[in-house]
C-alpha cells in the first residue's frame, strides 16, 4: 500500500508591487467618467428648467401686458383732452401712478399712433406744469416743462419713425420746421401731465390746468 504524502496547502500567490500600483490607476478613469456623467446630468437638468421658465414667461406675457399702466389708462383721453387720475384715482378705480407726487395733480391722455400722429397742446398758467411721454410697457420717452412754452403754449407731435419720415418728405425744401416732433418706439403710450399745487387751495386750478391739455390726431 502506497502512502501518498500529504502536501501542505498552497499559499496564496504574492501580489506583485506592479499589480498593486496598477489597481488605483485603473480607478481614476472610472472616477472621471462618473464625474463627467454627473456634470452632464446637471447641465441637462438646468437646461430643462430654463426651458420651462422661458415657456412660462412667454405664456404670461399677455397677462402682464394687460396689467401695465398703459392698459389701465388706455381709455383716457379719447375725448380729446387729458383726464384726471389723481387725486380721484381711488374713486374711479384707476391705479395711482407709481411716481405720483402727493402735492401734484395728474392727468393722463393715452395715444395710439395706428391712426396717425397725435398733437399735444398744453397752455401754461401760474402753477408749474410738466409733461412726460411713456412708452407702452414702461419707460419715459420724453419730458418737457412749461419753461419751453412759446407764448404760453407747449405744443408737440407724437409719431412713429415712419410717420416722421413721411411728414418730413412733405416739408417745404429750405423751410425751417417749427413744430416739435417726438418719435415713439411703440404704437401706444401715455402722455402724463402734472401740475404742482403749491397750496391746498391751488388744487382746483391745478386740476383745470392738467385736464386742459389737449391731445388728438394731428391734421
Amino acid at each position: 500500500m502506497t502512502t501518498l504524502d500529504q502536501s501542505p496547502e498552497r499559499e496564496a500567490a504574492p501580489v506583485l508591487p506592479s499589480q498593486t500600483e496598477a489597481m488605483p490607476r485603473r480607478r481614476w478613469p472610472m472616477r472621471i467618467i462618473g464625474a463627467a456623467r454627473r456634470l452632464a446630468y446637471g447641465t441637462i437638468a438646468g437646461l430643462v428648467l430654463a426651458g420651462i421658465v422661458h415657456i412660462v414667461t412667454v405664456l404670461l406675457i399677455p397677462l402682464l401686458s394687460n396689467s401695465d399702466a398703459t392698459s389701465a389708462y388706455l381709455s383716457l383721453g379719447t375725448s380729446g383732452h387729458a383726464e384726471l387720475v389723481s387725486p380721484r384715482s381711488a374713486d374711479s378705480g384707476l391705479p395711482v401712478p407709481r411716481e405720483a407726487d402727493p402735492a401734484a395733480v395728474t392727468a393722463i391722455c393715452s395715444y395710439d399712433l395706428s391712426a396717425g400722429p397725435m398733437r399735444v397742446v398744453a397752455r401754461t398758467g401760474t402753477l408749474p406744469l410738466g409733461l412726460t411721454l411713456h412708452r407702452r410697457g414702461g419707460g419715459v420717452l420724453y419730458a418737457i416743462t412749461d419753461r419751453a412754452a412759446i407764448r404760453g403754449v407747449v405744443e408737440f407731435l407724437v409719431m412713429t419713425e415712419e410717420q416722421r419720415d413721411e411728414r418730413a418728405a412733405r416739408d417745404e425744401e429750405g423751410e425751417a420746421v417749427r413744430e416739435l416732433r417726438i418719435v415713439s418706439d411703440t404704437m401706444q403710450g401715455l402722455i402724463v401731465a402734472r401740475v404742482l399745487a403749491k397750496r391746498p387751495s391751488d388744487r382746483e386750478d391745478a386740476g383745470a390746468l392738467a385736464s386742459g391739455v389737449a391731445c388728438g390726431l394731428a391734421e
Side-chain angles (χ1 to χ4, degrees), residues 173-195:
E173 186 176 356
E175 182 180 353
V177 178
R178 300 179 182 276
E179 60 187 11
L180 174 61
R181 300 172 179 175
I182 301 173
V183 175
S184 173
D185 55 2
T186 57
M187 195 64 69
Q188 294 177 322
L190 300 176
I191 301 166
V192 182
R194 293 185 180 86
V195 179

Side-chain angles (χ1 to χ4, degrees), residues 99 131-135 137-144 185 190 194:
E99 61 276 5
L131 298 170
T132 54
L133 273 72
H134 300 255
R135 64 169 61 89
V140 177
L141 282 172
Y142 194 81
I144 190 171
D185 55 2
L190 300 176
R194 293 185 180 86

Side-chain angles (χ1 to χ4, degrees), residues 4-53:
L4 299 176
D5 296 334
Q6 300 292 332
S7 60
E9 297 181 358
R10 295 183 179 180
E11 297 180 357
V15 180
L16 298 177
S18 59
Q19 296 176 340
T20 306
E21 295 175 357
M23 291 175 63
R25 293 177 182 176
R26 294 175 183 174
R27 295 175 181 173
W28 280 108
M30 298 303 296
R31 293 179 179 176
I32 295 175
I33 293 174
R37 287 178 178 174
R38 290 191 294 270
L39 179 60
Y41 292 153
T43 302
I44 293 173
L47 292 175
V48 171
L49 180 60
I52 294 173
V53 172

Side-chain angles (χ1 to χ4, degrees), residues 71-191:
S71 298
Y73 303 130
L74 199 57
S75 61
L76 299 182
T78 56
S79 58
H81 62 85
E83 298 183 43
L84 294 174
V85 297
S86 172
R88 72 173 182 89
S89 298
D91 299 334
S92 62
L94 294 172
V96 178
R98 294 180 180 177
E99 61 276 5
D101 186 347
V105 175
T106 303
I108 290 180
C109 178
S110 64
Y111 65 82
D112 188 344
L113 303 178
S114 59
M118 172 172 282
R119 183 178 299 277
V120 180
V121 180
R123 299 192 178 277
T124 61
T126 57
L127 301 175
L129 167 68
L131 298 170
T132 54
L133 273 72
H134 300 255
R135 64 169 61 89
R136 180 162 193 175
V140 177
L141 282 172
Y142 194 81
I144 190 171
T145 67
D146 53 5
R147 294 185 178 181
I150 299 177
R151 297 184 180 89
V153 176
V154 177
E155 183 176 356
F156 56 87
L157 294 178
V158 184
M159 59 186 67
T160 64
E161 187 173 358
E162 182 179 358
Q163 292 167 349
R164 189 268 313 272
D165 294 340
E166 292 177 356
R167 202 170 186 88
R170 297 198 303 264
D171 293 338
E172 295 292 337
E173 186 176 356
E175 182 180 353
V177 178
R178 300 179 182 276
E179 60 187 11
L180 174 61
R181 300 172 179 175
I182 301 173
V183 175
S184 173
D185 55 2
T186 57
M187 195 64 69
Q188 294 177 322
L190 300 176
I191 301 166

Side-chain angles (χ1 to χ4, degrees), residues 6 202 215:
Q6 300 292 332
D202 293 334
C215 47

